Amino acid sequence: MDDNRLNTLDRATSLGLIFLAFVQGCALYALHLAIDHEYWLVADQRWLKALYTVAVALPAFYLISIVRLRDRINLLPLLLAPLLFWLGWHLGWVEQVPEPQQWGGHPFTFAFCMAVGVALFILALFFRSSAASGTWPKTYQPMLDYSWEHALTIAQLGLFIGVFWSLLSLWAALFSAIGLDFFKTLFQTPAFFYPVTWLVIGMGLVMIRNRFRFIASVRLMCEALIKALLPLVALIVLMFFAVLPWTGLQPIWDTGRAAQILMALMLTLLLFFNAVFYQIDNKLPYPIWLRSAVMLAVVLLPIGSLLAAWALWLRIDQYGLSLDRLWAALLQALTAAFTFSYSLLLLWRRQAALPSMQRANIGLALLVAGALIVVNTPLADMRHWVAQHQVKRLIDGRTTVDAFDYRYLRFHLGQPGSLALQALADSEFAQSRPGLTRRIELSLKQTNRWNQDPLVDTHNLNDVAQQFSVNPEDATLPEPLLTLLIEQGSVCLSQVEPCQALQVSNEQGFQWLIYAPYSSHGQVYTEHNAGWQHLGTLTELGAAQDENSDDCRYTKPSTDLQPIPGSLNAYQSGNCLYSLRPTLESVRQQIQARAEASGARIN
């Protein structure tokens, strides 16, 4: 590591960074107050997420990368402010929901923070190198040095803040033990938490950045450990590709996690390779035979990229696009850019490939940063692509109406999913299928994915009856049974997909089985005293013969369900066995009926 460059902050820069961190804490406290007091920011997720993005990301960019406070180049990152505001605004639009109490109901913020955080980390390396040298970075070595310094600074700062708050927690617990809760209350107050925490962040950051030699020592230790592990990673890769012709690809596809495993292995090898092979002089690590083995593993990495892409394509072809699969595809594409570049350069330049690879890293880093930013804008919103793809699969017939995942579009894709559902409901395709239109309308009525409120008019039994798919088709659910289901608050009334209602013909003890969507347990109903009663729950036991066990797993009975003579609440449908677990109320009624019958015989 180059120790001749400026490695400490001047007094003005140190005080400026501490003040900037304190201002950031105050800004976050102001946003916290806006949420607590339900200002207009809470009602509009776009403003809230936009301001949070700017308040968190822009000061963090300066704190980690600024070199001298008085440099005019420090004005350049201000151009990021409108970009960050736009990114946050779009995130807020995606997560915008009609009900204010549903704030934070989407899982997009974490992925957004990770993607934008990595992009800003990369851009901070370019800014730091430009601020230190005065020119656009053209060599790889300073970029690598700053990447280590930034990563280790963030790690040490996180450890410092963790220890700081652990001490404050012990302080509060100690005084609470003697009956003084003042400190516990104080430390939990947002007015204390935000300014103090970020003030300590600023002070800790300045102390860490001023101890450059310590960071360099930690880096040398990490590099030594990575250098020892890199041959092991290369050996795993080489052995995997060596045995693949004998094992075939099917065992990989059977895991269902082939793409993730291959991606993790390739990214580890790429990271370790760059951490070890950063010198371009004669001081290359390892003996030549071991170095050649590592290089061979890197040359073969494109095979892993192709296998991972194939595994992901098989999943997409079978189930369609999802947000997770599209993120995986983006990560695979970016990883493939590295693997193919490294492999081609090593095959082309051989021993002189390292300088070319390091120059390629600069361009590839900008590619990664740009891609991670673009996918969080309306220009390439993956949620929109997934929603349109899922709707197209339905229209093309590759997905049936029953298998179409309305909940995924409604609650896992945010606004793009809801808009796609609305557009589908208005299309000629849906208008010619009343069942599809009804399901879309019900899904749009849901306020959250675990909605328990009825989506239908419970005063209209015809509307309630449409929540059930009856078997056999000519059967009809009795109105008194529908009334009982309404009184019980059946989950069938709050579901988009219809429940399955099975009329049992061979059993005198009960007449109807109700299965909620995605449930393997049936609710049993029987006529009782000119009304209807919930008798219990029917669960799957297994198969009459061991060889049929897999066929009976999660299999619902048919209309030929019948009791097994001499057994206790056991039933059979085909080769599958079921058990009835009665409700407490039904057992009490049976006891009462027997007591009344016994008393009548005595009289």
Side-chain angles (χ1 to χ4, degrees), residues 66-232:
I66 195 171
V67 176
R68 289 172 293 270
L69 185 65
R70 296 183 177 89
D71 289 348
R72 286 184 295 179
I73 196 174
N74 294 330
L75 298 176
L76 186 62
L78 293 178
L79 298 176
L80 290 174
L83 173 63
L84 293 171
F85 188 91
W86 184 37
L87 294 175
W89 183 275
H90 180 63
L91 175 66
W93 174 81
V94 168
E95 294 188 352
Q96 188 81 23
V97 290
E99 296 77 11
Q101 67 269 21
Q102 296 301 321
W103 177 81
H106 294 285
F108 304 135
T109 301
F110 176 76
F112 173 85
C113 293
M114 292 295 295
V116 175
V118 171
L120 291 179
F121 183 91
I122 295 173
L123 294 179
L125 299 179
F126 285 88
F127 174 76
R128 178 79 177 271
S129 180
S130 300
S133 63
T135 60
W136 178 259
K138 298 179 181 178
T139 58
Y140 176 71
Q141 185 67 42
M143 300 285 290
L144 179 65
D145 293 342
Y146 291 132
S147 66
W148 271 108
E149 185 175 340
H150 287 185
L152 293 176
T153 298
I154 293 172
Q156 292 178 67
L157 185 60
L159 178 63
F160 177 70
I161 296 302
V163 173
F164 171 77
W165 270 103
S166 296
L167 291 174
L168 291 190
S169 299
L170 290 175
W171 180 356
L174 180 63
F175 279 82
S176 294
I178 59 175
L180 296 177
D181 293 331
F182 170 76
F183 294 108
K184 181 178 180 180
T185 304
L186 174 64
F187 296 158
Q188 293 177 349
T189 304
F192 176 89
F193 172 82
Y194 285 99
V196 171
T197 298
W198 265 262
L199 178 63
V200 173
I201 287 176
M203 296 172 62
L205 183 70
V206 169
M207 288 188 293
I208 294 170
R209 290 190 58 181
N210 280 332
R211 283 156 179 80
F212 177 78
R213 302 269 181 192
F214 175 73
I215 295 178
S217 299
V218 176
R219 173 187 171 178
L220 290 175
M221 181 182 65
C222 293
E223 285 182 339
L225 296 176
I226 292 174
K227 183 178 178 181
L229 292 174
L230 177 57
L232 176 60

Side-chain angles (χ1 to χ4, degrees), residues 141 276-281 283-285 354 358:
Q141 185 67 42
V276 174
F277 286 85
Y278 61 88
Q279 297 176 333
I280 58 176
D281 51 20
K283 299 179 181 179
L284 294 177
L354 284 180
Q358 293 177 2

Side-chain angles (χ1 to χ4, degrees), residues 1-8 128 132 142 145-146 149 212:
M1 203 171 189
D2 183 12
D3 290 344
N4 295 323
R5 63 181 175 84
L6 182 65
N7 52 50
T8 58
R128 178 79 177 271
D145 293 342
Y146 291 132
E149 185 175 340
F212 177 78

